[in-house]
Amino acid sequence: MRLAPGRKRRSWAAALAVVLVAGALAAPATPAAASQTIGYPTFSGPAVPAPPVGYRTGNTMQAIYDAESGGTDFWLDRLLGRPGNDPAGTWLMTRGRGMFMYTHNPSVIGFGGNAAYWDNISSQNAYAVTVSPGTFTEQVSSRWQGPSHWRGVYTSGSVRVEVSKFITQQNVAVTNLNLVNAGSGSVTLQVRATSPYAASGSGSELTGSRAVKNGLTTIYPRFSGDGFTVSSGGLNRSVTLGAGQSLSTKVQLGFVTNEIPESLTEYTTYRGYAPATAFATHVRAYHRWWAENIPYIDVPDPAIKKNVYYRWWLMRFNYLDVDIPGQDFQFPTSVEGALGYNNAIVLTQPMHIDDLKYLRNPIYSYGPWTSIGQVSRNGRFVDNPGDPENWSNSYTQYVSEAAWRSYQIHGGQPAIVTNLARYAEQDVKGQLATYDTNNNGVIEYDWGAMTGNDADAVSFHWRSGNLDRAEGAYVWSNAMAAVQAYTLLGNTAKANEMQTIANRIRDGIVNVLWNPSRQLLEHRHVATNTHVPWKEINNYYPYSVGLMPNTDQYRQALRLFDDPAEYPIFPFFTANQRDKAAAAAAGQPGSNNFSTINSTVQFRLYSSVLRNYPNQWMTAENYKQLLYWNAWAQYIGGNTQWPDANEFWADWNGSTRTIAYRSWIHHNILGSSNWTVIEDVAGLRPRTDSQIELSPININWSHFAVNNLRYRNMDLSVVWDDPADGVTRYSGVPQGYSVYLNGTRAFTVDRLTRVLYNPATGAVSLPAGGTASFATAVPGLQAPQQVVQNSARMVDIFAKAGADLTSTTPNLAQGATATASYTASGTSTGAAIDGFPINEPIWGSYGSPNATDSYELNLGQARTVDEVRLWFRDDRATNRYRPPSAYNVQYWNGSAWVNAAAQAKSPAAPRSNYNRVGFTPVSTQRLRVQFTHASGCRTGLTEIKAYNRAGGTLLSAASAGSP
């Protein structure tokens, strides 16, 4: 875990003396027999609100929305609503795709605190509204907020100000004000709104301009109010209310950016709405998103069920979708703690992807791995460079493994898989090149300062120096993702190459890290060729990914999970607790925090072990305990009224069953767990063919439902209602274990068991036993590569990543010969025609003495061309490359260079990363693009592609994979 505030992060490897613990190399311990004794937690709090309608065999979330869509009171607001003085703090839940409140001060009418656009901008209010005369005080007991909006009441004497505020999807912060005169006489009130971000203008609107953190983009705030006029740098309105009268008005601030044109459109729209219309429009749109994007999940325990929906909300709250042109935050991505470090930290992205892949729209899971692939410089995966201040270590992530599972769920054109395969390949090769310096197939390093470890990874404290590490299992699982991706594409040579690499990693981990004397997988101290006796949950990653052979010898290592003194179910620590005590006795106590990141890796271990390495020490009952304690930790004091996923927790008191310390980062998405209910409890196992597989872990729940998952081109529901108790829990659904496709029942089995189902034929196979009471064909389920993803956002996202989802027209630049008027040292012309607009390698003109340079393609023979796509490098950190101020496409007519006619450019002005220009078709062998460099910089290309669109083949939209 990360260190608690006040503790300083440093390199343990540089600071620690060699520590040898007496007895560390003793004979292996006898098998544990303590058995996990934690039991189950107790939840408290008010009743958890039930949805307004019962379970439907179709789309239950849509039915819930439809039942309430005529009003403004929605189930998810009630479910996650937080009344009064919130013990977690005053954090504001409503946010837009880029705008939110990094801190929130509810004593300020309006949006007090520190306004953020992707991150804290300048530690100032977004805006404040004052009412005079009088001193208005918030009545905290009247405060309430749900995910969509916040409400409060402020009073001064007989005057009351009722506030409802929200941030729209396109970054408009709206405050509705209802001014009430409860007195017996008339009052005249002066209402003034001011924003540090918009203080210039006249008439009825103020504007401004502000660069965001690290200069990634510029926002152009627009600030206005109903009936307000500009005066003295603020918005002002005078209101006279007779006795008992009230008046409603509103103020709105739009964080407008050029790259999100909808931000201006939405600001203008909400500016024109009456307050009640603005509120209703926003709240309904906010909740419509849930109906369109998340599956409905029902489980027997209300506390677990609420935690599932809280985690869905966390995914939405900690998601950044700002489309900043360039090589930073252009792609939608999850961030690890919007209220904290707020970066797309690569180590936790696969955990997020594992949950995000079950949102119905694939942009939410595809965005993060596409972003990582695009910003990682054609090498090992690294954190997003838009925020380089935090972490930036990358040697324990399974991004490609998680990305491949997301593709198995959603599917899409081969162009998507091509990118995924390339990212995975380059990450694996980059990890090995960077960290496997002794070339034994196992990565090694000497510092545990990475998210989820820090001072908790005790193995680093045993002796200083590099350790061969079991986290190399993730390099193996990522290599296997590349194998599967290349196999699907039919690229046998690449699949075989990656399989060879995967085999070398597997053999290295098994041969180098297995300690037969202790029958454990242990990290190895490289300098002394000695196994490290101090362990973490990390030692078991090879079991989590299925790398280890399934033999009795290797299963012996799992015995430690039977003993809570070694690896307790809860708290879910990083370190083996006996080894942690040994380290503390040796003077290296570190910290001993626990977090959802730890429960996530523990879930992954149990999920794999219970299927692949059955043993007497780890049971489905343990899995159930973990599920319950994972949910309990997210509630303050176990009270379901107050979910708060802190970055980490510390100082567990086993006697009182209390957590003494919850970290400063609140509502953090570090880790994941909703996938556990879908993949383990309900049993869905993503596949690469057109069959459906269920393999549930039976935790003795009487019932559950996972409704309306988007499984490629169909809607999939899994329902269990135990026939043994004779109680029918879901109207219209028979008892047993059933799957529905597009609302039609496909099969029902009499027990929770492994099921293989072929939708085309209706055939059901039950390898672990059971009886199918019903089965029928529900044809139409596509294999992943048969799905066509053609939503506007998916097409746009992958175009920016160099993949065309609209056509199979060949890229004429592939195989061409490239030359340029100037090529910077360390770059090459060929680097820009390798097919992938990944940051590096590039062609660059840095150092060119010319104000204008050109890049030429020789196509080898005359070709018809009518479109060129260009991906410009934006080297923000070193300020060498910027998009050109202008560019021009020319072709060689046999004797001279001629401008291509009717050039239509999108965007009109050159922009970082993706640009597209169409023109009148020309037949030519030579094509070039002239660049007029931006002032003080030069032009770089990460990629250029050329097409004959008129002669191309459009992909069918008949079977689009996204809603």
Side-chain angles (χ1 to χ4, degrees):
M1 265 317 88
R2 293 189 182 138
L3 302 177
R7 294 178 177 173
K8 192 172 183 179
R9 196 173 64 202
R10 61 192 178 95
S11 171
W12 289 99
L16 294 179
V18 174
V19 178
L20 291 174
V21 178
L25 301 179
T30 56
S35 192
Q36 293 289 345
T37 56
I38 187 69
Y40 290 91
T42 300
F43 297 93
S44 62
V48 174
V53 299
Y55 181 81
R56 308 296 169 90
T57 56
N59 186 339
T60 304
M61 288 303 298
Q62 185 65 50
I64 290 171
Y65 174 80
D66 290 344
E68 300 177 323
S69 61
T72 57
D73 181 18
F74 287 88
W75 175 57
L76 270 163
D77 272 343
R78 298 193 300 275
L79 181 69
L80 300 178
R82 307 175 79 93
N85 191 16
D86 189 337
T90 58
W91 318 105
L92 190 66
M93 298 174 76
T94 178
R95 68 160 294 163
R97 53 191 287 191
M99 183 186 185
F100 64 101
M101 297 303 295
Y102 190 79
T103 64
H104 175 232
N105 180 4
S107 69
V108 175
I109 300 175
F111 287 83
N114 295 341
Y117 189 86
W118 94 259
D119 206 340
N120 182 21
I121 304 171
S122 54
S123 298
Q124 295 174 290
N125 295 339
Y127 62 86
V129 179
T130 58
V131 181
S132 59
T135 300
F136 284 82
T137 303
E138 188 206 0
Q139 304 304 302
V140 176
S141 62
S142 297
R143 184 190 303 165
W144 181 94
Q145 73 163 322
S148 70
H149 68 282
W150 185 99
R151 297 197 303 263
V153 174
Y154 301 78
T155 60
S156 177
S158 61
V159 177
R160 184 169 75 252
V161 182
E162 299 166 346
V163 172
S164 296
K165 62 186 178 185
F166 53 88
I167 303 176
T168 72
Q169 172 70 5
Q170 306 298 343
N171 306 314
V172 185
V174 180
T175 301
N176 281 1
L177 305 164
N178 187 41
L179 307 172
V180 180
N181 177 14
S184 58
S186 178
V187 297
T188 297
L189 303 172
Q190 305 301 322
V191 186
R192 178 172 169 82
T194 57
S195 171
Y197 298 102
S200 300
S202 59
S204 60
E205 184 179 58
L206 292 164
T207 61
S209 174
R210 186 73 67 93
V212 304
K213 181 182 174 183
N214 293 336
L216 295 191
T217 191
T218 300
I219 54 175
Y220 300 95
R222 306 280 290 268
F223 190 38
S224 59
D226 297 6
F228 287 72
T229 56
V230 171
S231 175
S232 302
L235 301 170
N236 297 274
R237 180 175 180 179
S238 179
V239 174
T240 299
L241 299 175
Q245 287 187 335
S246 64
L247 179 141
S248 293
T249 187
K250 75 179 195 311
V251 176
Q252 52 272 326
L253 173 69
F255 271 7
V256 174
T257 61
N258 291 334
E259 58 269 17
I260 304 179
E262 300 94 333
S263 58
L264 178 56
T265 302
E266 191 151 283
Y267 164 77
T268 303
T269 299
Y270 273 82
R271 182 182 179 184
Y273 283 149
T277 302
F279 179 77
T281 300
H282 163 73
V283 172
R284 290 166 187 167
Y286 184 90
H287 287 280
R288 190 181 307 116
W289 184 94
W290 297 111
E292 294 170 349
N293 285 285
I294 68 168
Y296 175 77
I297 292 180
D298 183 56
V299 301
D301 193 303
I304 306 298
K305 182 172 181 176
K306 178 171 180 176
N307 185 61
V308 166
Y309 289 92
Y310 173 66
R311 297 294 304 185
W312 288 138
W313 173 77
L314 286 181
M315 288 176 230
R316 188 174 183 182
F317 184 75
N318 290 280
Y319 205 84
L320 184 69
D321 185 13
V322 286
D323 199 16
I324 297 173
Q327 285 82 27
D328 299 298
F329 290 112
Q330 180 149 43
F331 300 91
T333 189
S334 176
V335 297
E336 195 255 281
L339 300 178
Y341 294 108
N342 199 13
N343 191 15
I345 298 173
V346 74
L347 299 173
T348 54
Q349 287 297 299
M351 300 180 180
H352 303 169
I353 292 168
D354 271 347
D355 274 355
L356 288 165
K357 70 178 183 287
Y358 289 115
L359 296 185
R360 290 173 54 82
N361 192 326
I363 69 167
Y364 294 103
S365 55
Y366 285 18
W369 59 256
T370 302
S371 177
I372 292 166
Q374 289 298 119
V375 305
S376 293
R377 301 184 179 276
N378 218 20
R380 66 183 177 89
F381 291 161
V382 296
D383 296 354
N384 193 290
D387 186 6
E389 293 88 351
N390 296 307
W391 306 103
S392 300
N393 296 323
S394 63
Y395 27 62
T396 176
Q397 48 80 17
Y398 51 96
V399 169
S400 298
E401 173 198 331
W404 178 249
R405 281 194 298 271
S406 74
Y407 181 76
Q408 289 178 309
I409 293 294
H410 290 290
Q413 294 89 314
I416 295 174
V417 190
T418 299
N419 275 33
L420 196 161
R422 172 67 169 230
Y423 302 151
E425 175 190 355
Q426 296 302 96
D427 172 55
V428 168
K429 291 178 176 178
Q431 297 288 352
L432 293 175
T434 304
Y435 299 116
D436 183 21
T437 58
N438 57 12
N439 200 35
N440 63 1
V442 185
I443 61 173
E444 71 267 2
Y445 52 96
D446 67 353
W447 189 28
M450 52 189 169
T451 192
N453 282 286
D454 263 21
D456 298 334
V458 291
S459 56
F460 292 108
H461 305 180
W462 186 64
R463 291 180 183 175
S464 61
N466 273 354
L467 306 181
D468 279 321
R469 301 285 301 182
E471 289 93 348
Y474 287 165
V475 186
W476 177 83
S477 69
N478 290 335
M480 291 305 298
V483 170
Q484 294 175 83
Y486 279 127
T487 298
L488 184 144
L489 290 169
N491 192 336
T492 303
K494 278 293 185 184
N496 290 341
E497 177 190 358
M498 295 309 298
Q499 185 67 66
T500 299
I501 293 173
N503 292 345
R504 185 168 72 85
I505 298 168
R506 179 198 61 208
D507 294 345
I509 287 174
V510 173
N511 296 330
V512 173
L513 301 185
W514 181 256
N515 183 348
S517 67
R518 282 192 285 263
Q519 294 185 299
L520 293 170
L521 265 183
E522 296 176 335
H523 309 308
R524 186 183 70 98
H525 188 250
V526 175
T528 60
N529 194 28
T530 307
H531 282 101
V532 179
W534 293 352
K535 301 169 292 300
E536 301 94 29
I537 186 73
N538 309 41
N539 289 63
Y540 289 86
Y541 289 176
Y543 293 90
S544 299
V545 299
L547 176 151
M548 295 300 291
N550 180 20
T551 67
D552 181 68
Q553 175 190 9
Y554 295 116
R555 287 196 298 268
Q556 288 298 315
L558 301 170
R559 68 189 184 275
L560 302 189
F561 284 86
D562 195 40
D563 188 350
E566 301 266 7
Y567 289 104
I569 289 290
F570 184 80
F572 17 71
F573 296 112
T574 297
N576 176 292
Q577 292 300 284
R578 280 206 171 97
D579 297 336
K580 191 67 173 175
Q588 303 297 340
S591 56
N592 202 27
N593 306 323
F594 53 99
S595 168
T596 308
I597 194 175
N598 297 123
S599 62
T600 301
V601 297
Q602 202 156 319
F603 275 127
R604 280 171 54 83
L605 178 63
Y606 273 92
S607 179
S608 175
V609 165
L610 293 176
R611 294 182 176 93
N612 303 320
Y613 306 96
N615 63 81
Q616 65 267 43
W617 305 295
M618 301 172 72
T619 68
E621 185 72 14
N622 298 148
Y623 187 101
K624 184 176 183 179
Q625 290 173 311
L626 179 61
L627 188 70
Y628 275 72
W629 281 106
N630 175 68
W632 182 88
Q634 323 238 351
Y635 294 114
I636 298 175
N639 186 330
T640 59
Q641 181 71 76
W642 309 115
D644 186 18
N646 299 90
E647 182 198 17
F648 66 85
W649 306 292
D651 302 330
W652 162 251
N653 187 320
S655 299
T656 62
R657 293 195 165 196
T658 55
I659 296 172
Y661 178 78
R662 305 178 76 92
S663 82
W664 66 278
I665 303 179
H666 299 264
H667 300 309
N668 192 346
I669 198 178
L670 182 66
S672 62
S673 59
N674 280 3
W675 63 270
T676 64
V677 178
I678 297 169
E679 296 179 25
D680 291 338
V681 179
L684 179 67
R685 311 304 293 167
R687 293 175 65 94
T688 314
D689 58 19
S690 54
Q691 293 196 67
I692 293 172
E693 179 179 355
L694 303 180
S695 180
I697 294 173
N698 189 350
I699 61 172
N700 291 315
W701 270 350
S702 60
H703 63 283
F704 58 73
V706 174
N707 172 255
N708 217 49
L709 293 169
R710 189 66 179 173
Y711 195 65
R712 302 168 204 158
N713 63 311
M714 299 186 83
D715 295 329
L716 169 68
S717 300
V718 183
V719 192
W720 164 247
D721 188 354
D722 191 351
D725 60 16
V727 178
T728 300
R729 292 177 174 83
Y730 301 113
S731 177
V733 178
Q735 292 190 305
Y737 192 29
S738 302
V739 157
Y740 286 75
L741 290 171
N742 287 347
T744 298
R745 182 160 61 123
F747 67 81
T748 300
V749 179
D750 66 335
R751 69 195 70 176
L752 288 174
T753 186
R754 185 163 177 244
V755 184
L756 292 172
Y757 167 72
N758 187 332
T761 65
V764 171
S765 174
L766 303 170
T771 301
S773 60
F774 174 84
T776 189
V778 187
L781 181 67
Q782 295 176 327
Q785 68 272 25
Q786 295 174 315
V787 176
V788 174
Q789 299 288 356
N790 66 351
S791 71
R793 280 306 307 280
M794 284 288 283
V795 169
D796 178 64
I797 287 168
F798 277 94
K800 289 167 178 168
D804 188 356
L805 302 188
T806 65
S807 171
T808 58
T809 303
N811 169 24
L812 301 177
Q814 199 89 39
T817 300
T819 56
S821 58
Y822 184 93
T823 299
S825 174
T827 75
S828 70
T829 53
I833 53 172
D834 67 354
F836 299 92
I838 301 171
N839 281 7
E840 292 179 0
I842 70 168
W843 166 77
S845 58
Y846 181 70
S848 171
N850 310 317
T852 300
D853 278 300
S854 62
Y855 182 98
E856 179 184 338
L857 295 172
N858 188 322
L859 306 177
Q861 62 183 6
R863 302 275 192 182
T864 300
V865 186
D866 60 8
E867 180 180 291
V868 168
R869 298 188 180 193
L870 304 141
W871 288 261
F872 292 123
R873 179 78 167 101
D874 187 343
D875 195 7
R876 176 183 52 80
T878 58
N879 204 35
R880 295 173 300 177
Y881 294 111
R882 289 289 185 275
S885 60
Y887 68 90
N888 180 43
V889 178
Q890 296 185 316
Y891 67 96
W892 183 255
N893 69 0
S895 58
W897 289 104
V898 180
N899 292 338
Q903 295 185 41
K905 298 173 181 177
S906 178
R911 184 174 284 182
S912 301
N913 200 35
Y914 179 58
N915 294 258
R916 177 179 176 179
V917 53
F919 44 86
T920 301
V922 298
S923 179
T924 186
Q925 181 174 322
R926 298 169 64 190
L927 193 74
R928 77 177 186 183
V929 185
Q930 289 182 312
F931 309 103
T932 301
H933 302 305
S935 177
C937 296
R938 289 298 179 261
T939 303
L941 282 174
T942 62
E943 191 68 18
I944 180 172
K945 297 188 178 187
Y947 298 97
N948 174 17
R949 287 294 174 189
T953 302
L954 295 178
L955 293 175
S956 169
S959 53
S962 57

